[in-house]
Every structure is written in structure tokens, then in C-alpha cells.
Amino acid sequence: MSTRRGVSAPGEPQAARLRDQWRDSSPVLPPALRARLSFALSTCGLLTAR
């Protein structure tokens, strides 16, 4: 039995606020943490792939 749950991006305008917060805070995060969070946010559709 899997314990993994599906994740979907929030609707607008909440998604826009979260993207703005990510853009503002990501430069101050350690690189490894920034990469992991970026991957997670991209996976759920919040960030677009670069």
C-alpha cells in the first residue's frame, strides 16, 4: 500500500504569490536546499521547468 499522496498546484492568485515568495527567498537558501525545493515545486506544477 502506498502512502504517497497526489499533489497539485494551488489555483491563482495563490500560486502567483507563492512564485513571488519563492523568487524573493530562493537566493538566500543554501544551494542543496534550493535545488530540492525547486524540484519539488516544479514537480507539483508551481514552477515551470527551466
Side-chain angles (χ1 to χ4, degrees):
M1 181 168 144
S2 176
T3 59
R4 189 172 184 170
R5 296 181 181 196
V7 178
S8 60
E12 296 291 339
Q14 183 181 10
R17 286 193 304 268
L18 291 170
R19 283 189 293 271
D20 290 343
Q21 289 174 346
W22 172 250
R23 185 191 66 236
D24 294 342
S25 64
S26 64
V28 299
L29 297 174
L33 178 59
R34 182 174 53 240
R36 290 182 72 182
L37 289 172
S38 180
F39 175 78
L41 294 172
S42 296
T43 300
C44 76
L46 188 60
L47 300 178
T48 56
R50 291 182 178 212

